[in-house]
Amino acid sequence: MKTVLITGASRGIGEACARIFGEKGWKVYLNCRNNVQMLEELQKDIPESVVLPFDVSDKKAVHHTLNDLHIDCLVNNAGISLFSPFDAVTDEQENALYGTNLFGVLNCSRAVLPGMIRRKSGCIINISSMWGETGGSCEVDYSAAKGAVIAFTKALAKEVGPSDIRVNCVCPGVIDTDMNAHLSVADVNALVEEIPLERLGRAEDVAEAVYFLASEKASYITGAVLDVNGGII
Ligand code: NDP
C-alpha cells in the first residue's frame, strides 16, 4: 500500500487531498498543528490513516516525527496567509509566515528525502499560489514565500530526478476555504468577475490536480508548475 503524508490536512485543500488519496486506497498520514480533533474526525472516514500532529515550521519536531516513516508521496500543503502592507508586518508575523509557508516545505522535504533516495522512488507535491507567480499587493511576504516554493520545486526536481523522485508544484487561484472566509460577499463577487470560469475554486479542484501529479499518469512530469485557478492569470 502506498503512503502519503499531507501537511495541513485538518481542513480545506489538505482535507480534500486526504479524502482523494484515501478513496484511491493509499495509507494517509494526516498532519496539522492545532486542530487535531478535526484530524481525528477525518481519520474515521479514511480507513488506512494515521494522525501525526506537528508544526511544520519546527524542524526538530518534523525530523523526530518523520525520520523512520516510509513516505512514498509528500504533499506540502500547510500554509497561512497574511494580508498586510509590507512595512507593517511584525517580526512575529514574518517568522510565522516564512516558517510555515517556506521553511515548513523545506523541513518536511528534507525529512522524507533520504528514504525516497534510498528506495529510488517517491514524489513531492508543493502547494504554492498564483501570488507566487504574479505577486500580490499587501501579500508581499506570502508572495515571496510562495515564489520561493516554485523555485525550490524546479531546483529540487533537477537534483533528485536521477533518483526517480518527481517534484511538482500546484498553484491554486482563489479557493473557497477558511483561508478566504474573511472576504465579504462584495469582495468575492469582485474576484469572481475577474475569473474566466466565473466561480471560486473548490478544494476538490486542487486536490484532483495534486492526485494526478502523484499518480502513475504523471510519471514523466517533474519540475512542473500546474495552475488551478479558473484562468485568472
Ligand atoms: P486553510 O486555512 O483552510 O488550511 C490550512 C491548513 O494548514 C490547516 O490544516 C492548518 O492546520 C494547517 N497549518 C497551518 N499552519 C501549520 C503548521 N505550522 N504546521 C502544520 N499545519 C499547519 O488553507 P487552504 O486549505 O486554503 O490552503 C492550503 C494551502 O493552499 C496553503 O499552503 C495555502 O497557502 C495554499 N493556497 C490557498 C489558496 C486559497 O485561496 N485558499 C490559494 C492559493 C494557495 P491547523 O490550523 O489545524 O493546525
Side-chain angles (χ1 to χ4, degrees):
M1 179 177 271
K2 285 198 165 191
T3 57
V4 59
L5 165 64
I6 300 166
T7 66
S10 59
R11 55 182 189 270
I13 293 168
E15 178 190 347
C17 290
R19 289 187 184 281
I20 290 187
F21 279 88
E23 281 162 19
K24 302 283 185 184
W26 290 54
K27 177 172 180 177
V28 188
Y29 289 100
L30 303 165
N31 157 265
C32 78
R33 178 185 45 181
N34 296 318
N35 294 293
V36 180
Q37 243 179 310
M38 287 164 81
L39 291 187
E40 286 164 355
E41 283 302 308
L42 177 60
Q43 189 184 23
K44 291 179 191 161
D45 293 342
I46 305 175
E48 288 291 337
S49 58
V50 177
V51 170
L52 275 190
F54 57 84
D55 176 350
V56 295
S57 70
D58 180 344
K59 192 172 184 173
K60 273 194 188 147
V62 170
H63 282 264
H64 177 74
T65 314
L66 301 184
N67 251 355
D68 297 328
L69 288 187
H70 175 133
I71 304 289
D72 293 307
C73 177
L74 165 65
V75 180
N76 278 313
N77 165 77
I80 54 174
S81 61
L82 175 62
F83 193 82
S84 164
F86 178 65
D87 58 2
V89 172
T90 64
D91 289 352
E92 199 182 335
Q93 288 173 321
E94 187 181 69
N95 289 337
L97 191 285
Y98 289 99
T100 305
N101 294 6
L102 177 56
F103 287 103
V105 172
L106 307 187
N107 292 340
C108 295
S109 302
R110 278 212 175 89
V112 303
L113 265 170
M116 289 183 177
I117 290 170
R118 229 178 12 253
R119 295 189 296 274
K120 279 198 126 246
S121 95
C123 75
I124 296 178
I125 297 152
N126 300 316
I127 309 299
S128 176
S129 162
M130 68 174 182
W131 296 132
E133 299 175 283
T134 66
S137 167
C138 291
E139 300 203 62
V140 174
D141 289 298
Y142 182 83
S143 304
K146 293 297 190 181
V149 167
I150 294 173
F152 167 76
T153 301
K154 293 179 179 178
L156 188 63
K158 288 182 178 165
E159 185 169 314
V160 299
S163 295
D164 268 337
I165 299 163
R166 298 182 299 108
V167 188
N168 290 296
C169 181
V170 173
C171 287
V174 188
I175 311 300
D176 189 8
T177 67
D178 285 358
M179 192 170 269
N180 291 317
H182 64 283
L183 295 174
S184 67
V185 174
D187 288 341
V188 170
N189 289 340
L191 280 165
V192 167
E193 269 183 30
E194 288 179 44
I195 302 172
L197 290 183
E198 296 184 333
R199 66 169 175 85
L200 299 190
R202 294 180 283 259
E204 292 74 18
D205 295 324
V206 182
E208 289 289 358
V210 170
Y211 186 75
F212 164 69
L213 288 172
S215 74
E216 277 304 309
K217 291 183 178 162
S219 63
Y220 198 54
I221 301 178
T222 196
V225 179
L226 179 54
D227 288 345
V228 182
N229 63 23
I232 193 171
I233 58 168

